[in-house]
Amino acid sequence: MEQITQRITQNLEHLKQYTATPGNGCTRLPFSKEARSAVNYLRDLMIEAGLRVKEDEAGNIFGVLDGEDPSLPCVMSGSHYDSVVHGGDYDGIAGVIVALETARLLKKCGQKFKRNFVVAGFNDEEGMRFGTGYFGSGAMLGLRTPEYCRKFRDKDGISIYDAMKSYGLDPEKVEKAKWKDGSIGHFIETHIEQGPVLDTHNIEIGLVTGIVGLHRYMFTVHGRADHAGTTPMDMRLDAVDVASKVISKIADWAREKGDGTVATVGYMNVLPGGINIVAEKVEFSVDIRSLNMANIEDIAAKIQAALTEETAKIGSTFDKETKLVIQPVALSEKMLTILEKSTQAHQFSYKRLPSGAGHDSLEIGQKIPTVMIFVPSKDGRSHTPVEHTDYPYFAKAAMLQKELAEQLLSE
Ligand SMILES: [Zn+2]
C-alpha cells in the first residue's frame, strides 16, 4: 500500500505544475498549453506502465492494457484532466492517476486478462471555458459534432472549433472520437467527494449509488412599486412579500423528502431595490436535486402552486423559466456489490451515498454500466486552491478498482 501511495503522490505532485495560475490553484483549461503539458505527462506515464497510447480527435487520451480478446467490450476507468479557474489539484486528475495505478497493479499481477483495460483522461469535463461540459466523454459516446464545436465560444469569442484548431486537432473529425457501440462494457471513476460527508464522519470510501437529477428554474414575481410610507398594507402588490412567503418553505419541502434531496435558492434580485419602495419585481433561482426525479417534480409543483396561490391573493402574477432539466443516473448495483465486498474485506470504512455533482460518469452512465468511488475532500472544499485529499485514500481507491477490474476483465 505504501508503494502505491508513493507512486500516486509523485504523479499528482508532478501534475501540480501544469497550471496557468502558479501559486493560486490549478487552472488547466481545455486546449491550453497547460492541458497539453498534462496530456504529454500522462502519455509518458502510460508508456512507462506498458500501455498502448491513443489520443483522439477530441483531445482525450487513452492507455490500453491489452487482453486476450480485444473484440470483447473493455473495462474502462478514468476521469478528466481539465480544471476550473483557480481550482484544486485533485478534482478529475486524481481519477486519471488512480486508473493508471489500477493498470499498473493489473499488469504487475502478471495475469493475462480476457478483456482490454483502458485508462481514460477526458478533456473538458468542467465546461468552464465554453460554458458547456462533458466535452471529451460526450465525444467518446458520439455526442459531439463540428456544429456543436462551432456553437460555443469562450469569453474572448474563441469557439471550441477554433480552439481545437490552434491546439492541433481537426474539429471536422471530432465525430471520429466516438467508440463503437458496445465496445465499452463497464466504466469506473474515482473522484474526490467535493462535499463534506465523508470527511465529517471520518469515512475512507464513498460508494456512489447514483448521480442526482436536477431541475433549475428562474422565477419572477411581479408586484407594483409604491411609496413605502403612504401605501396601506392591504393596498400593496408587494413582490417581496409574496416571493419570501414561498421561498421560506422551499428548504423545508426538501427536508421533508429526505433521501438526499436538496433545494437551493442561490440568487435573489429585488427591483427597483430601494429601502423606501415597495418591490415591483423579485427574481429568484431554484436548484432542486435528487436521485428520485419524483421528489424534484413534486417540489417544483409545490413552488408553482404556492406562487399561484400567493400572487392570486393580492392580484399579481409570476413567470417561470426552466433553465435545466437533467435525469438522474443510477450506478451499477452489480459493481457496487463487488466494491462493497472488497471494501469490507480490507476493513476500509465506507458509506453508500449519492453524488450531488455531475461527473463524466453522469454522461457515460446514461449508456454504459458505471460505478464511482468517492474519497474524502478535506472540509468538503473543492473548486478552490485549498482543495485537499490525503494521498493514502487514493491508494485505497486504486486497490478497490483493481479488484473490481480483475473480476470484470475475467468475465
Ligand atoms: Zn471533476
Side-chain angles (χ1 to χ4, degrees):
M1 189 65 89
E2 228 161 79
Q3 240 182 24
I4 301 174
T5 307
Q6 239 174 48
R7 279 194 295 262
I8 290 173
T9 304
Q10 201 208 337
N11 294 166
L12 286 173
E13 285 293 318
H14 183 98
L15 279 155
K16 283 185 179 177
Q17 65 189 286
Y18 304 131
T19 169
T21 53
N24 195 4
C26 182
T27 303
R28 194 182 301 131
L29 295 180
F31 311 112
S32 63
K33 85 176 187 302
E34 299 75 36
R36 170 52 67 202
S37 304
V39 169
N40 287 346
Y41 178 63
L42 290 173
R43 190 208 300 128
D44 291 347
L45 291 177
M46 286 173 176
I47 292 170
E48 198 183 295
L51 309 182
R52 186 161 52 79
V53 177
K54 293 199 295 188
E55 285 182 59
D56 74 6
E57 291 77 3
N60 298 319
I61 179 165
F62 300 98
V64 184
L65 178 64
D66 283 309
E68 279 163 0
D69 186 355
S71 71
L72 291 173
C74 71
V75 176
M76 183 182 278
S77 175
S79 191
H80 59 97
Y81 64 76
D82 65 306
S83 79
V84 297
V85 172
H86 301 301
D89 292 308
Y90 308 99
D91 176 3
I93 190 67
V96 184
I97 295 302
V98 167
L100 185 69
E101 182 58 27
T102 307
R104 289 183 191 124
L105 293 170
L106 288 168
K107 178 121 185 153
K108 220 173 95 193
C109 75
Q111 191 186 339
K112 183 89 171 171
F113 296 99
K114 256 163 80 176
R115 298 159 190 274
N116 287 358
F117 180 77
V118 181
V119 178
F122 295 116
N123 183 21
D124 197 6
E125 182 267 354
E126 298 287 1
M128 180 93 201
R129 179 168 174 190
F130 302 102
T132 53
Y134 319 114
F135 179 77
S137 44
M140 179 179 79
L141 299 170
L143 303 172
R144 304 290 170 256
T145 58
E147 295 70 56
Y148 180 98
C149 300
R150 273 193 210 96
K151 196 166 141 191
F152 298 99
R153 293 173 181 277
D154 68 11
K155 63 175 176 22
D156 301 318
I158 300 168
S159 63
I160 300 178
Y161 195 94
D162 290 335
M164 286 175 81
K165 284 207 325 213
S166 48
Y167 191 68
L169 291 168
D170 182 354
E172 288 298 330
K173 292 186 179 154
V174 70
E175 283 154 301
K176 290 180 97 177
K178 180 184 192 296
W179 284 49
K180 228 174 57 218
D181 287 334
S183 61
I184 307 166
H186 295 90
F187 182 72
I188 312 164
E189 179 174 14
T190 289
H191 203 283
I192 58 167
E193 185 198 347
Q194 302 184 284
V197 176
L198 298 177
D199 186 49
T200 305
H201 301 286
N202 247 317
I203 297 168
E204 298 167 292
I205 295 289
L207 302 179
V208 184
T209 50
I211 304 173
V212 298
L214 182 155
H215 278 203
R216 228 172 241 173
Y217 299 100
M218 188 66 77
F219 288 98
T220 305
V221 176
H222 301 284
R224 191 183 63 213
D226 279 307
H227 194 289
T230 58
T231 318
M233 293 313 287
D234 59 351
M235 294 178 73
R236 300 175 174 215
L237 271 73
D238 184 342
V240 164
D241 185 26
V242 168
S244 58
K245 279 182 174 129
V246 178
I247 289 169
S248 68
K249 294 176 186 152
I250 294 174
D252 286 332
W253 287 331
R255 280 182 205 109
E256 280 164 21
K257 293 288 175 199
D259 64 346
T261 301
V262 289
T264 308
V265 175
Y267 169 87
M268 287 170 74
N269 187 26
V270 178
L271 294 161
I275 196 166
N276 55 356
I277 311 170
V278 175
E280 183 176 7
K281 209 194 278 191
V282 174
E283 301 165 328
F284 66 95
S285 66
V286 180
D287 174 305
I288 318 168
R289 306 185 192 209
S290 176
L291 279 182
N292 184 348
M293 206 57 162
N295 287 348
I296 300 178
E297 283 160 0
D298 189 48
I299 294 171
K302 281 195 162 96
I303 296 170
Q304 172 96 17
L307 280 171
T308 305
E309 192 188 321
E310 292 298 335
T311 49
K313 274 188 201 162
I314 63 160
S316 71
T317 58
F318 72 96
D319 301 319
K320 175 176 92 173
E321 188 191 348
T322 304
K323 291 279 195 187
L324 194 62
V325 173
I326 296 177
Q327 292 296 324
V329 175
L331 297 182
S332 158
E333 187 52 46
K334 171 187 142 187
M335 289 197 274
L336 279 167
T337 306
I338 299 173
L339 282 173
E340 193 158 26
K341 281 192 185 132
S342 289
T343 309
Q344 288 164 349
H346 287 289
Q347 296 183 314
F348 300 154
S349 53
Y350 74 97
K351 180 183 169 64
R352 284 184 173 233
L353 76 177
S355 170
H359 296 287
D360 287 302
S361 286
L362 176 62
E363 191 83 342
I364 297 169
Q366 319 255 0
K367 289 198 170 180
I368 296 164
T370 294
V371 81
M372 288 191 81
I373 298 172
F374 275 171
V375 288
S377 292
K378 183 149 194 329
D379 301 325
R381 306 289 307 278
S382 182
H383 284 187
T384 150
V386 305
E387 179 184 286
H388 180 79
T389 295
D390 288 334
Y391 288 113
Y393 292 128
F394 294 125
K396 288 176 179 173
M399 289 287 291
L400 295 175
Q401 284 209 166
K402 184 236 175 192
E403 287 168 14
L404 172 61
E406 256 174 342
Q407 283 206 39
L408 299 173
L409 289 167
S410 315
E411 274 178 1

